[in-house]
Every structure is written in C-alpha cells, then in structure tokens.
Amino acid sequence: MFAKCFDPTGARHGLPTHPWRYAPDGLATKRQLRARGLRPGGQSTAAQIMRPRYRRGPLVAYPYHVDRAKPVRPMTPGKWAALAKAMPARRTCPACRQDAGYVIPASLGMCVPCAYPDERAA
C-alpha cells in the first residue's frame, strides 16, 4: 500500500505524490496555512499526499509551498458590517421568528424546538 502512494517524481500520478505523514518539509495544506495566518496566494498545488483505504478510494490532500504563501488579508470594515448583518439572519428561525441562540442547521431549516415539537412537550 505504501508503494502505491510514493511517486516523488510525479511520473505515475502527474503530481509528486507522498504517503500520508511523509510529506517533505516546507509543504502545508490550506488548513495548515490558515492556522499559521497564511493563504496559498494564487500558487498551484505543489504535490499530493495520499492515504490508502481498503474498499474505497484513497484520501488525498493537496499541499502548497509555505515559503510562497502570502499573509491572510485583514477584515475590512465593510466585511465586518456584512458579517454582522448575515449572522442574525442565520440564527433566526423562519417558523417562530425568534433568535435561536445558535446557527440554524441547514438539515432542519428551523430551530430544534420547531422541528421536534413533540419532544418539547415531554
């Protein structure tokens, strides 16, 4: 299984491929870059990291070069204002028109007491 995920030249997969947890230093995924306060900054993926799984396709992560990454853009006052307007809309239940105190789950489309009224009475 290890051999299927090891292709440092990219001859087999088109991109340099490394097994899970064996990526070279200097590469990071989008989430890892974000945790460092960075963003890819328009660069293309540097490689792929594969983790084989039985009975399913492999998990694949696409890392970027850390030295080419740019800092995350700061929030502007306009973005803060738009976010301040959007959050109450996501917290307001369309059925009872009350602030639920949490973001309404998209799977329910309404607050939990409105989605399950029988359990509230019990």
Side-chain angles (χ1 to χ4, degrees):
M1 294 300 271
F2 183 84
K4 290 181 183 180
C5 299
F6 188 69
D7 181 24
T9 62
R12 186 178 338 147
H13 298 290
L15 276 173
T17 305
H18 304 282
W20 204 259
R21 298 183 188 244
Y22 288 95
D25 293 334
L27 296 180
T29 62
K30 282 185 181 181
R31 286 186 181 188
Q32 292 168 338
L33 288 175
R34 189 61 157 189
R36 296 179 187 182
L38 300 171
R39 61 185 170 95
Q43 65 175 309
S44 61
T45 56
Q48 64 181 354
I49 301 168
M50 295 180 84
R51 178 181 174 205
R53 297 187 297 177
Y54 296 103
R55 298 187 183 119
R56 289 190 272 175
L59 291 174
V60 181
Y62 298 100
Y64 298 89
H65 291 284
V66 176
D67 56 345
R68 296 183 199 165
K70 296 180 180 177
V72 175
R73 294 184 188 121
M75 288 281 282
T76 63
K79 285 184 181 180
W80 281 112
L83 189 60
K85 286 182 181 179
M87 287 311 292
R90 293 180 67 196
R91 294 167 55 113
T92 305
C93 176
C96 64
R97 298 284 182 206
Q98 293 182 355
D99 185 356
Y102 52 87
V103 175
I104 304 293
S107 60
L108 297 178
M110 59 184 71
C111 65
V112 175
C114 290
Y116 302 107
D118 296 339
E119 293 181 17
R120 183 172 30 171

